[in-house]
Amino acid sequence: MLQSTSAKIKKWLIRYKGTGKFFAYFIAGSMLVTGIVGSLIYLGSARALELEAIDANQNMLIQLNKSTDLLLSQVDQYLSQLALDATVADFMQYYRSKNLTAQMRINTAISNNLLLMNPYINSCTIFYFKENKVYSVNRGVRNLADFPDRDIFLEAKSGKYLYNRNCFPTRRIVDEKTGKTINVITVVKPIPLDSSEAIGVAVVNIDESYLRDIMNSIIAGDEQKIFVVDDQTRFISSNQFLQPHTNLRDKPYLNSAFRQKAGNYLAQADHQKVLISFVTSEAYNWKYVSIIPYRVIVKRIGFIRNYAFIISFFAIILGIAVSLFFSNKISRPINLIAGLFKDDKNPSDENDVLKYIENNIHRLMAKNESIEKTFLEHLPVLRNNFLTSFLMGAVTHSELEERFDYYGIDLSGSSRYLVYLVSLDSSRGLTGKVSERQLNMLIIYLMEVLNDLPNHDHKKIVVNTKANEIAVVFAFAGKDEESLNRELEMIGTEIQQAVQANANYTFAIAAGNLKREIGQISDSYNEALEAIVYKVLIGNQKVIRYEDIQNLKAENFEYPYEKEKELMDAMKLGDQESVKRISHEIFEFFVNCSESLGDSIYYYYLQLLSSTIRRALRIGINIESIMGEANLYKELLKCNGIGEIQDWFTFLFRELTEHAGQRKNTKNRSIVESIVAYIQENYDQDLSLTALSQQVFLSVPYLSTIFREEYGKPLKQFINETRIEKAKEFLAEPGYQIAEVAEKVGYDKVHAFLRLFKEYTGMTPGQYRKTIIFTQRKTPANIVHFKRHSSPSATGEVHYAGKNKA
């Protein structure tokens, strides 16, 4: 019986010897592949999380840097205005003369504009050297000896490094409001700012807890540390409360961060591995350093590790099953195995992956086609930019042939070259009612018109060199001088007629001299630029040749541009005396030139009127409201004689100067109210500052300034608040998804909506919706409805923050 059993075992071993051998091979291979794949998943996930943490830290530090720079720039800007204010410099005179009204007016202005609008400002004080007194906003005047924070004033009075740096590292002072010791960041400006000898200094103390609150609001966890230091690594702020004298130079693992502008690296700190990220402020050279333990980053990998282990386990089981299957079939002929794979009707996972790769390849090919299409669409712009650089002499002669071939520019077979220049008189027109879009469309249309002019026996290239300027480069084949001059005269006439027929603008056309080499085309362009300056002598809408201005240059009849600038600046400031004096000097200059210029002197007066209109539009004055609806140029030409013209200008200058002076003390409430109404009615539309400025025909900076003055907050902040209030109304309706709500209130990107909603409400839209649902359950429906529709944004009322508005 034993012999029989032994024989059976031997027979089984012989039969399955090859099968077991291949089974071992398959198991070893599957284990190896599974181990490699699992390890790669783990390591790849760890690296991905590390990169994600680095990116998040860098973005967080950049956001902190921007917030801090904005804070410091606002304070610095206000202090600069304060240091330039003559009433602040004369405050001690009001104090000695006991002029309480003037003192209260200055105190109220500083308090309203700085302290009330900026809750992070701890204090604002002004130290006057001669009187040895400290004026503290909202607290009155004290002797320096009685002022607790006197050290910084003593250093300022002694001249110690005060004028080389106006922002100091964190200091410890006693808060006069609470009596507690706090950390502050100090900003100092000499008074007056524009004088070589200071009579005092203005000091603003910023509560360091403001920066600490920003840090704690954007960091992910309690274990992360953030430090802010100045360019000498002195402590500024941290997300944890530290003493100002904390010296981070003692931390060797931070040396690399202090030596470089920005970056990240891994280091050992306090017996643990940490990720250090850092950026440097370009404006103030402050360093922002983030330190986060590496274990916090890799903590999330635990799930991935377990997930990889489970996948590996099932892969091993599957490998065993597959190995058993194929090891049992391995004895069959190789061709049968190949045929089995070839004829397999059930696609494997590998086939799905190949299909996925194939789909992605098709998508990449479509993307490449889209990129190529976009490039071809932008090729005319690139060609125009190159030609502009070429005309301005920024392209070397060695590059010309290759780059001409690339952009398809053909000037071959030419022996002479010349540039005509068409310059529109104003980029906004004479009334200021032509938008940037209309001007661009006009330029494009004129380029097409000029490009379609008959070529005759020459070649031409049309280039948009500036916002209101078009250059036309002509290349002529070999011709005699007489024929060439006739052709140039004909070309000038054609350009003049084409522009005059298609542009409702005052314009000037100039031409440089003929050049024999292609590399001298830029010289012809510069000559045309120089010639066009003399349009006030020769007249607009005439072709001005460079050779025609040589006699004018020899006679030295130069227009008084510097005096004109002084006049415009005085008019903007509302300085009637200076306007009267400078205009008299300009008129005397015109009278002296009139004997030589004759009737051409009228172009001087037209140039002066054009400059006056442009400056009035630039500072926001509507001349039509002052001078009526009549065309000012026609009114000027109706004047009889130089005396009447000068009287007309005197009246115009007096009215504009008086209006500019009054504008300093008047508000733009109607404009702001119309903008507020437009925002509340069109909160889901394009509310960019450019779009809003076009609604009221104002520049973006000017609109932003008057809105902040009138409404008490930045225009962008009001837009976001209005949209957030509207979003709250939509979130109260359960039928809307959060993405739909974001779109309904004008946000194209959901993540931007989520970030702003949390920034303004302190909670995410989902959390807010849960709060609303809970409130609706606890409160009767009619009360909830009343609360929802009684918000300021729902009523459409205009509220002026920080001002006593009716």
Side-chain angles (χ1 to χ4, degrees):
M1 184 175 180
L2 289 175
Q3 292 179 351
S4 175
T5 302
S6 177
K8 289 181 179 179
I9 293 174
K10 185 176 180 180
K11 184 179 179 180
W12 185 85
L13 289 174
I14 294 173
R15 181 179 178 182
Y16 291 99
K17 179 178 179 181
T19 303
K21 183 177 180 180
F22 284 106
F23 177 75
Y25 289 158
F26 279 119
I27 286 294
S30 63
M31 292 286 286
L32 179 62
V33 171
T34 302
I36 293 174
V37 171
S39 299
L40 290 176
I41 291 174
Y42 179 79
L43 294 175
S45 301
R47 180 57 180 166
L49 288 176
E50 181 181 327
L51 294 176
E52 180 183 344
I54 290 173
D55 186 59
N57 277 357
Q58 290 291 110
N59 291 335
M60 178 266 295
L61 292 177
I62 291 172
Q63 180 183 352
L64 176 60
N65 175 24
K66 290 181 178 178
S67 301
T68 306
D69 283 0
L70 178 61
L71 162 65
L72 293 177
S73 64
Q74 288 176 345
V75 174
D76 190 75
Q77 181 181 5
Y78 181 78
L79 268 183
S80 297
Q81 296 174 357
L82 190 69
L84 291 170
D85 193 339
T87 61
V88 174
D90 297 337
F91 182 84
M92 281 292 105
Q93 297 181 13
Y94 302 138
Y95 177 75
R96 288 194 297 269
S97 63
K98 297 183 179 180
N99 188 342
L100 296 179
T101 301
Q103 294 179 49
M104 289 299 296
R105 183 173 64 252
I106 297 172
N107 187 82
T108 301
I110 299 175
S111 178
N112 287 347
N113 290 313
L114 180 65
L115 299 180
L116 293 182
M117 297 303 296
N118 302 284
Y120 47 81
I121 301 298
N122 176 266
S123 63
C124 177
T125 53
I126 304 173
F127 173 51
Y128 295 90
F129 294 158
K130 182 178 179 182
E131 293 80 4
N132 216 34
K133 291 185 180 295
V134 179
Y135 161 53
S136 182
V137 178
N138 293 335
R139 295 183 181 277
V141 179
R142 284 176 281 180
N143 292 323
L144 179 62
D146 299 330
F147 193 72
D149 187 21
R150 70 180 70 88
D151 293 341
I152 192 168
F153 294 132
L154 292 174
E155 293 178 357
K157 189 172 183 180
S158 66
K160 183 181 179 182
Y161 63 79
L162 176 61
Y163 303 104
N164 296 325
R165 183 177 70 253
N166 62 0
C167 190
F168 294 84
T170 301
R171 305 182 301 121
R172 297 281 284 171
I173 68 169
V174 177
D175 187 358
E176 294 191 73
K177 301 176 185 177
T178 63
K180 298 180 180 180
T181 301
I182 62 172
N183 293 345
V184 295
I185 302 167
T186 303
V187 182
V188 182
K189 287 285 183 182
I191 297 177
L193 187 62
D194 56 353
S195 175
S196 60
E197 183 177 354
I199 66 170
V201 290
V203 174
V204 168
N205 289 322
I206 305 170
D207 195 335
E208 182 260 343
S209 63
Y210 172 77
L211 298 183
R212 191 162 57 252
D213 292 341
I214 293 178
M215 298 178 201
N216 288 323
S217 67
I218 61 180
I219 62 176
D222 298 334
E223 296 186 85
Q224 185 174 3
K225 298 179 182 178
I226 304 176
F227 298 101
V228 184
V229 296
D230 65 6
D231 55 353
Q232 300 180 26
T233 67
R234 293 178 298 184
F235 176 81
I236 299 295
S237 183
S238 173
N239 65 322
Q240 302 175 354
F241 185 81
L242 296 175
Q243 297 295 333
H245 54 74
T246 300
N247 189 359
L248 298 179
R249 276 291 184 185
D250 298 335
K251 311 293 185 183
Y253 53 85
L254 293 177
N255 290 341
S256 296
F258 294 146
R259 289 196 301 265
Q260 304 176 42
K261 285 286 187 180
N264 53 80
Y265 60 91
L266 296 174
Q268 288 291 332
D270 300 326
H271 308 291
Q272 65 174 338
K273 188 178 181 181
V274 295
L275 173 63
I276 299 176
S277 301
F278 56 95
V279 298
T280 304
S281 167
E282 294 293 338
Y284 296 93
N285 210 25
W286 284 6
K287 186 84 65 176
Y288 299 82
V289 183
S290 167
I291 303 175
I292 181 171
Y294 196 75
R295 55 181 170 77
V296 175
I297 300 174
V298 299
K299 184 184 296 182
R300 294 169 53 191
I301 305 179
F303 166 77
I304 299 175
R305 182 179 60 247
N306 297 334
Y307 182 71
F309 175 78
I310 294 173
I311 292 179
S312 300
F313 176 77
F314 282 106
I316 292 173
I317 299 300
L318 180 62
I320 293 173
V322 173
S323 298
L324 284 172
F325 175 77
F326 282 106
S327 60
N328 283 323
K329 301 295 183 179
I330 201 66
S331 58
R332 297 183 180 184
I334 297 299
N335 56 354
L336 182 61
I337 297 175
L340 180 62
F341 278 104
K342 183 177 180 181
D343 297 332
D344 190 4
K345 300 300 183 180
N346 299 317
S348 64
D349 292 340
E350 184 178 357
N351 290 335
D352 292 356
V353 172
L354 292 176
K355 187 65 176 178
Y356 172 76
I357 294 174
E358 181 183 357
N359 292 338
N360 276 273
I361 290 174
H362 287 305
R363 190 178 74 252
L364 289 174
M365 292 174 62
K367 186 176 181 180
N368 287 336
E369 292 175 358
S370 176
I371 293 173
E372 183 70 20
K373 181 180 179 182
T374 303
F375 172 77
L376 292 176
E377 291 174 351
H378 287 81
L379 188 59
V381 178
L382 299 175
R383 180 178 184 270
N384 188 87
N385 292 341
F386 160 71
L387 289 171
T388 301
S389 300
F390 168 62
L391 289 177
M392 295 181 178
V395 181
T396 62
H397 191 273
S398 59
E399 299 176 285
L400 286 181
E401 183 175 354
E402 178 181 355
R403 299 184 71 174
F404 272 17
D405 290 340
Y406 178 78
Y407 289 107
I409 301 170
D410 182 19
L411 296 179
S412 60
S414 304
S415 61
R416 299 288 185 90
Y417 306 89
L418 180 137
V419 176
Y420 272 89
L421 201 62
V422 179
S423 176
L424 301 181
D425 184 67
S426 172
S427 61
R428 295 188 63 200
L430 299 179
T431 65
K433 296 181 180 179
V434 178
S435 67
E436 191 75 10
R437 181 175 181 273
Q438 290 173 315
L439 176 61
N440 291 335
M441 292 179 64
L442 175 60
I443 290 293
I444 294 173
Y445 179 71
L446 285 179
M447 291 178 67
E448 292 179 353
V449 170
L450 295 174
N451 202 47
D452 291 337
L453 291 178
N455 284 340
H456 303 293
D457 295 328
H458 59 256
K459 299 177 181 179
K460 67 174 178 292
I461 304 172
V462 182
V463 188
N464 177 207
T465 51
K466 297 179 182 177
N468 60 334
E469 182 182 280
I470 300 173
V472 188
V473 181
F474 289 91
F476 303 93
K479 287 186 177 182
D480 58 87
E481 292 293 328
E482 184 178 355
S483 300
L484 190 56
N485 287 331
R486 286 198 303 269
E487 187 170 357
L488 288 176
E489 184 176 357
M490 179 182 61
I491 290 173
T493 303
E494 290 175 350
I495 294 177
Q496 179 185 4
Q497 293 175 350
V499 177
Q500 191 168 11
N502 294 282
N504 190 21
Y505 272 75
T506 304
F507 62 89
I509 302 174
N513 283 337
L514 283 165
K515 303 297 177 182
R516 293 186 177 275
E517 296 181 7
I518 192 170
Q520 295 178 321
I521 292 178
S522 60
D523 295 335
S524 182
Y525 169 75
N526 290 326
E527 290 170 353
L529 279 177
E530 185 177 353
I532 214 163
V533 173
Y534 287 80
K535 61 186 178 183
V536 295
L537 296 178
I538 299 178
N540 287 337
Q541 303 183 5
K542 295 181 180 180
V543 179
I544 309 168
R545 295 185 177 277
Y546 180 74
E547 55 206 28
D548 295 337
I549 70 172
Q550 300 308 309
N551 293 333
L552 296 175
K553 291 174 65 177
E555 295 174 2
N556 198 26
F557 291 142
E558 294 290 340
Y559 183 83
Y561 287 104
E562 292 297 326
K563 284 293 181 183
E564 179 189 272
K565 184 179 184 302
E566 293 179 16
L567 176 64
M568 299 299 115
D569 292 339
M571 192 184 307
K572 178 182 178 181
L573 296 174
D575 188 354
Q576 289 281 10
E577 292 298 324
S578 297
V579 169
K580 185 177 180 181
R581 174 180 54 80
I582 299 171
S583 61
H584 180 70
E585 294 175 0
I586 292 176
F587 292 151
E588 283 187 347
F589 178 86
F590 287 178
V591 170
N592 293 334
C593 295
S594 61
E595 295 179 2
S596 302
L597 293 176
D599 292 337
S600 296
I601 192 64
Y602 284 98
Y603 291 115
Y604 275 51
Y605 289 103
L606 290 173
Q607 169 68 20
L608 181 60
L609 176 58
S610 178
S611 299
T612 303
I613 293 173
R614 284 198 299 270
R615 177 54 67 95
L617 292 172
R618 193 176 304 161
I619 62 178
I621 297 178
N622 185 357
I623 294 186
E624 294 175 354
S625 65
I626 299 174
M627 304 298 291
E629 297 292 332
N631 186 302
L632 296 182
Y633 291 90
K634 292 182 179 179
E635 291 294 316
L636 174 61
L637 295 176
K638 289 180 182 179
C639 295
N640 296 319
I642 298 300
E644 188 173 337
I645 289 176
Q646 293 183 359
D647 291 341
W648 186 84
F649 267 107
T650 301
F651 173 78
L652 174 63
F653 292 155
R654 184 175 62 249
E655 293 296 317
L656 290 178
T657 305
E658 181 179 353
H659 195 75
Q662 292 174 351
R663 285 184 70 256
K664 292 182 179 179
N665 302 317
T666 58
K667 303 298 179 182
N668 295 274
R669 179 183 295 184
S670 60
I671 295 176
V672 173
E673 288 178 347
S674 66
I675 287 295
V676 169
Y678 180 85
I679 292 172
Q680 292 178 339
E681 293 174 3
N682 301 275
Y683 55 87
D684 59 337
Q685 302 298 319
D686 176 19
L687 295 182
S688 63
L689 299 187
T690 302
L692 292 176
S693 65
Q694 291 176 353
Q695 292 290 326
V696 290
F697 304 103
L698 294 176
S699 67
V700 171
Y702 186 73
L703 176 60
S704 301
T705 300
I706 66 171
F707 190 94
R708 181 186 286 272
E709 291 176 353
E710 288 295 306
Y711 209 78
K713 64 177 66 175
L715 178 55
K716 197 64 178 179
Q717 178 182 341
F718 176 77
I719 295 170
N720 290 330
E721 289 177 351
T722 302
R723 284 174 164 173
I724 295 301
E725 290 300 321
K726 292 293 182 182
K728 289 180 180 179
E729 297 178 16
F730 288 117
L731 289 170
E733 304 294 337
Y736 291 120
Q737 299 291 331
I738 291 178
E740 292 178 306
V741 173
E743 183 178 359
K744 279 183 170 293
V745 297
Y747 292 104
D748 297 330
K749 299 179 179 179
V750 177
H751 69 271
F753 168 69
L754 297 175
R755 176 177 57 80
L756 287 170
F757 192 94
K758 186 171 183 180
E759 179 181 340
Y760 281 88
T761 65
M763 62 182 74
T764 64
Q767 293 171 339
Y768 178 82
R769 171 167 279 175
K770 291 180 181 178
T771 304
I772 290 297
I773 294 174
F774 178 80
T775 304
Q776 290 175 343
R777 291 175 178 174
K778 296 294 185 179
T779 309
N782 58 337
I783 297 179
V784 174
H785 180 77
F786 171 77
K787 289 182 178 179
R788 183 188 309 164
H789 290 82
S790 61
S791 64
S793 62
T795 61
E797 296 179 357
V798 178
H799 300 280
Y800 288 81
K803 297 199 179 252
N804 296 324
K805 299 286 183 180

